[in-house]
Amino acid sequence: MRLSVIGCGYVGLVTGACLAEAGHEVICTDIDSERIAKLKAGGVPIYERYLDEILRSTRRAGRISYTSDAGQAIRAAQAIFICVGTPPKDSGEADLSAIDNCARQIAAEADGPKLVIEKSTVPARTGLELSRALSAYRRNGDVRFRVASNPEFLREGTAVEDFFHPDRIVVGVEEESAAADLREIYRPILERSFHCPLHNGTCPPGPRADFLVTTINSAELIKHASNSFLALKISYANVLSELCERLGGDVEEVTHAMGLDPRIGGQFLKAGLGFGGFCFPKDVQAFIHLAASVGVDFDILKATDRVNKERIDRYMERIRRALWVVKGKHVALLGLAFKPNTDDIRYAPALEVLKRLLADGAAVHACDPEAISRTQALFPGAHYHKDPYAALQKADAALLCTEWDIFKKIDWERAGKTMARKLLLDGRNLYSPSAMRGLGFEYHSFGRP
Ligand code: UGA
């Protein structure tokens, strides 16, 4: 099918690239003409595993192209994926102006019937508003627009894998024909008839994705409800870690045993510095706001958000207690991205820690495999190193904020010899307390003895 993608951020690019890899013809557009020029020249503006590989192969096969002319992309496609940003306003409410802008463009440029699919994360009822806006903005002659919601459940860092091997594909529609078109778009994924870049064409047998057809409102709610619930699990584990610290207990033992109950599940119960990124913090806020707008007090999510913000306070208290005077101390900050395998630093807990350390007058030596250039642009006052051992040299303290593989592999015996003080504050419970103490480190983590 001929598809277009509006918005070449991480969701748009992964969606476009994977659907092209699955055999469709995809044309991508973005208002950022520099981004389009970079993509046209073969560049990849974000770091996401396997993305550059599939962008290259689909480009060679002539199945993906880019244009800054949104009209061209809209006219060329039977189905249009809207993948634009919905950032939070100061109130926490989602800013839908980019979606509104897409509606205007599609209404003005369409020269035939279009299936308009919202993939951006949006509050419930956006699809219905989008449908109204498309008819209201259409000036020159009648064109039939069908609107569908198709929320994405991709995780940064494993987005390509998640796209090709989803647990579920949710499509919210108003009419059966839209569901049929979406089933056709996803048929290669549902039937596993695409060349899988991860498994070199031969995917291991495993459960196939459920294709769920719902109303548009339900599909939109499923997205916010899923992200908020995962965020809630994380905050729950973080409160448990505080309880363990006060009562004596090991949060890892507690959450491990809890997670063996299939009704609970073991994922997203990892205590630490809390959640960041451009999804959970903003989606929790947007969901609270949406609920309040219809008179529902989503208290439990307000607590989720509060607990998460307090994680940084708790961590800073520990740093200040351990270092006594922070001003002038050499601090090695290991990890900047909001999680491993991405260069995304939006709402990254590490950045808040970095900001507060700089404000306290520390000499911060930060290390991250992918996120240095983005961070450096925001915080030129810190020192940056690709090599963790260079960041750790002469350090008064090491702070682990993102659990990248290279940090798992640090030889702490070697690093400890070059540090001014063997002090490690582990914000992600990455290392074994007994092993670190065995190496002579003063070691702090969350909720563990
Ligand atoms: C999240 C969801 O997991 C995806 O399903 C969803 O599609 C995506 O948001 C989105 O809405 O686009 P993502 O933000 O990429 O994906 O990252 P996650 O892997 O979910 O991690 C979010 C944050 O939670 C990270 O900062 C991570 O360090 C933290 N986390 C995760 C914990 O603190 N503890 C855990 O146990 C798990």
Side-chain angles (χ1 to χ4, degrees):
M1 207 183 275
R2 269 175 297 116
L3 310 174
S4 71
V5 170
I6 307 184
C8 294
Y10 115 91
V11 172
L13 273 183
V14 171
T15 302
C18 292
L19 288 174
E21 182 73 26
H24 298 290
E25 232 177 89
V26 182
I27 174 160
C28 303
T29 186
D30 197 293
I31 46 167
D32 181 346
S33 49
E34 263 178 45
R35 183 164 275 239
I36 292 295
K38 182 165 186 179
L39 285 160
K40 275 185 171 169
V44 185
I46 52 166
Y47 172 75
E48 186 63 48
R49 272 191 292 187
Y50 303 107
L51 184 61
D52 51 351
E53 186 183 324
I54 49 175
L55 284 176
R56 244 182 287 124
S57 68
T58 51
R59 189 186 157 88
R60 264 200 312 272
R63 287 202 302 274
I64 198 160
S65 60
Y66 310 94
T67 175
S68 350
D69 177 356
Q72 186 195 346
I74 290 162
R75 287 187 296 277
Q78 297 152 273
I80 302 163
F81 282 89
I82 297 183
C83 301
V84 295
T86 52
K89 298 185 194 171
D90 288 343
S91 60
E93 185 189 2
D95 178 352
L96 301 177
S97 52
I99 305 263
D100 184 45
N101 196 33
C102 289
R104 259 179 216 286
Q105 280 180 324
I106 296 168
E109 301 285 355
D111 54 355
K114 305 286 170 194
L115 173 62
V116 180
I117 306 156
E118 52 169 44
K119 218 175 207 338
S120 306
T121 300
V122 290
R125 305 195 67 79
T126 303
L128 303 182
E129 292 295 343
L130 177 60
S131 213
R132 265 180 359 133
L134 284 165
S135 343
Y137 295 152
R138 181 73 190 175
R139 289 266 165 251
N140 41 342
D142 248 7
V143 164
R144 197 165 114 77
F145 295 112
R146 288 168 304 155
V147 168
S149 161
N150 172 218
E152 56 85 14
F153 303 104
L154 312 175
R155 292 161 300 172
E156 290 188 34
T158 53
V160 171
E161 182 176 350
D162 293 343
F163 199 97
F164 283 127
H165 297 287
D167 312 308
R168 76 281 207 210
I169 294 171
V170 174
V171 301
V173 295
E174 283 184 304
E175 45 200 309
E176 186 40 46
S177 71
D181 284 355
L182 276 151
R183 189 183 286 278
E184 186 54 28
I185 291 171
Y186 283 106
R187 194 169 46 79
I189 313 270
L190 292 163
E191 294 176 358
R192 294 229 177 121
S193 57
F194 59 93
H195 175 88
C196 177
L198 272 87
H199 304 110
N200 214 4
T202 334
C203 305
R208 301 277 166 111
D210 282 328
F211 186 81
L212 303 173
V213 181
T214 68
T215 62
I216 294 182
N217 277 335
S218 294
E220 291 164 337
L221 278 168
I222 288 166
K223 169 70 187 188
H224 266 149
S226 304
N227 273 6
S228 298
F229 189 75
L230 291 170
L232 183 142
K233 275 186 96 177
I234 298 170
S235 281
Y236 190 88
N238 280 327
V239 176
L240 279 182
S241 80
E242 284 184 37
L243 266 184
C244 287
E245 282 164 20
R246 289 180 199 200
L247 297 173
D250 183 332
V251 71
E252 304 274 309
E253 289 176 353
V254 176
T255 52
H256 173 68
M258 282 170 63
L260 293 178
D261 181 336
R263 291 171 304 171
I264 297 175
Q267 295 188 49
F268 283 68
L269 283 177
K270 190 117 183 67
L273 266 178
F275 55 82
F278 204 55
C279 302
F280 286 179
K282 95 174 158 64
D283 290 355
V284 166
Q285 286 291 341
F287 211 25
I288 293 171
H289 198 278
L290 174 72
S293 73
V294 289
V296 176
D297 187 1
F298 219 146
D299 240 357
I300 174 179
L301 280 189
K302 290 182 192 162
T304 298
D305 182 48
R306 195 194 64 238
V307 167
N308 195 54
K309 287 186 176 132
E310 285 170 3
R311 301 312 289 163
I312 311 282
D313 303 337
R314 295 282 109 80
Y315 194 55
M316 291 307 299
E317 279 161 20
R318 267 161 220 219
I319 295 169
R320 290 186 183 122
R321 216 177 306 129
L323 280 176
W324 181 42
V325 173
V326 174
K327 192 173 174 189
K329 294 277 162 67
H330 173 148
V331 176
L333 189 67
L334 304 179
L336 295 166
F338 83 97
K339 67 173 193 178
N341 303 318
T342 174
D343 58 355
D344 197 341
I345 53 169
R346 290 175 296 177
Y347 297 94
L351 254 64
E352 189 56 36
V353 173
L354 171 59
K355 189 170 112 192
R356 296 193 197 183
L357 287 170
L358 288 175
D360 282 355
V364 182
H365 289 253
C367 172
D368 191 284
E370 298 294 337
I372 287 180
S373 60
R374 282 170 194 249
T375 313
Q376 203 159 18
L378 294 176
F379 296 101
H383 309 269
Y384 296 92
H385 307 266
K386 271 271 178 199
D387 174 13
Y389 295 100
L392 286 162
Q393 198 149 22
K394 299 200 174 77
D396 293 295
L399 311 181
L400 188 281
C401 292
T402 317
E403 63 277 37
W404 282 96
D405 266 345
I406 56 156
F407 301 145
K408 288 184 191 156
K409 294 181 191 144
I410 288 178
D411 175 350
W412 283 103
E413 194 170 3
R414 172 183 158 199
K417 286 185 185 139
T418 69
M419 290 174 71
R421 178 176 165 193
K422 285 161 100 175
L423 170 63
L424 171 57
L425 292 115
D426 182 351
R428 295 290 177 187
N429 287 0
L430 186 64
Y431 305 108
S432 142
S434 57
M436 291 314 300
R437 285 182 194 128
L439 290 172
F441 272 81
E442 179 185 338
Y443 176 78
H444 302 269
S445 60
F446 286 109
R448 300 190 298 173

